[in-house]
């Protein structure tokens, strides 16, 4: 009885596996037995950390990111603060809001976390229909001036 169930379920599993691999773009070389299936986007991000500076992932680095778009709103600023300090444990600052629709973000921390933060900024869509584009990313020397991530709101309280 169990053998009949296995022979009936096995073709369905093969069909589901082929649908999942074609839908999500998984690639693998079938001639190698123990190779992991990895989505193309994961491979891109894995190679991005080695090509963007190539050093030790725990090395402390700094980047200056110039972003354009709806950067003066409080929602985007709070997202930058949360992403930088709470989620990635980075330090740095963001320039105060002005009417230029541009902002500079100076960020310091471990290479792996800084590269991830830059990719998050380049994603551009933070919600609430705000569109952000990264104008430039420049390497800076880490200063160690910041112990947290500071994002001024521009309020004169």
């Amino acid at each position: 009885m169990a053998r009949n169930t296995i022979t009936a379920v096995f073709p369905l599993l093969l069909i589901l596996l082929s649908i999942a691999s074609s839908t999500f773009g998984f690639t693998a070389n079938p001639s190698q037995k123990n190779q992991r299936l990895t989505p193309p986007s994961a491979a891109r991000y894995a190679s991005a950390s080695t090509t963007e500076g190539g050093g030790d992932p725990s090395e402390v680095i700094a980047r200056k990111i110039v972003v354009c778009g709806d950067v003066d709103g409080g929602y985007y600023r709070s997202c930058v603060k949360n992403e930088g300090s709470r989620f990635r444990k980075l330090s740095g600052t963001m320039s105060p809001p002005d009417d230029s629709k541009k902002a500079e973000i100076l960020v310091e921390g471990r290479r792996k976390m800084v590269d991830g933060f830059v990719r998050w900024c380049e994603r551009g869509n933070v919600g609430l229909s705000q569109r952000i584009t990264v104008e430039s990313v420049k390497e800076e020397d880490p200063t160690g001036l910041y112990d947290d991530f500071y994002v001024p709101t521009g309020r004169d309280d």
Side-chain angles (χ1 to χ4, degrees), residues 58-86:
S58 61
E59 174 189 12
V60 175
I61 63 168
R63 296 280 189 268
K64 181 190 282 185
I65 307 162
V66 178
V67 291
C68 304
D70 302 323
V71 296
D72 290 340
Y75 180 75
Y76 181 70
R77 291 178 167 279
S78 67
C79 287
V80 167
K81 181 172 176 54
N82 286 339
E83 190 69 26
S85 97
R86 291 173 76 195

Side-chain angles (χ1 to χ4, degrees), residues 3 10 33 60 65 68 79 84 106-107 121 130-131 135 140 146 148 154:
R3 187 177 191 104
F10 188 70
K33 288 186 176 179
V60 175
I65 307 162
C68 304
C79 287
L106 178 64
V107 62
C121 290
Q130 293 180 322
R131 298 287 176 214
E135 186 175 283
E140 298 282 325
Y146 305 103
D148 198 4

Side-chain angles (χ1 to χ4, degrees), residues 38-123:
T38 56
S41 60
R44 185 184 77 201
Y45 287 134
S47 65
S49 64
T50 58
T51 59
E52 288 179 7
D56 179 22
S58 61
E59 174 189 12
V60 175
I61 63 168
R63 296 280 189 268
K64 181 190 282 185
I65 307 162
V66 178
V67 291
C68 304
D70 302 323
V71 296
D72 290 340
Y75 180 75
Y76 181 70
R77 291 178 167 279
S78 67
C79 287
V80 167
K81 181 172 176 54
N82 286 339
E83 190 69 26
S85 97
R86 291 173 76 195
F87 302 139
R88 300 190 188 272
K89 305 295 184 216
L90 299 172
S91 60
T93 187
M94 183 175 181
S95 61
D98 56 8
D99 293 331
S100 69
K101 296 289 185 186
K102 283 188 181 183
E104 290 183 358
I105 304 170
L106 178 64
V107 62
E108 297 180 358
R110 291 183 301 152
R111 177 180 300 280
K112 182 178 178 181
M113 295 297 160
V114 170
D115 289 344
F117 182 79
V118 170
R119 283 194 305 271
W120 177 82
C121 290
E122 289 171 342
R123 211 176 64 186

Side-chain angles (χ1 to χ4, degrees), residues 144-155:
L145 292 175
Y146 305 103
D147 59 350
D148 198 4
F149 206 91
Y150 297 99
V151 179
T153 60
R155 297 171 77 184

Side-chain angles (χ1 to χ4, degrees), residues 26 31 74 111 156:
F26 289 109
S31 65
R111 177 180 300 280
D156 295 330

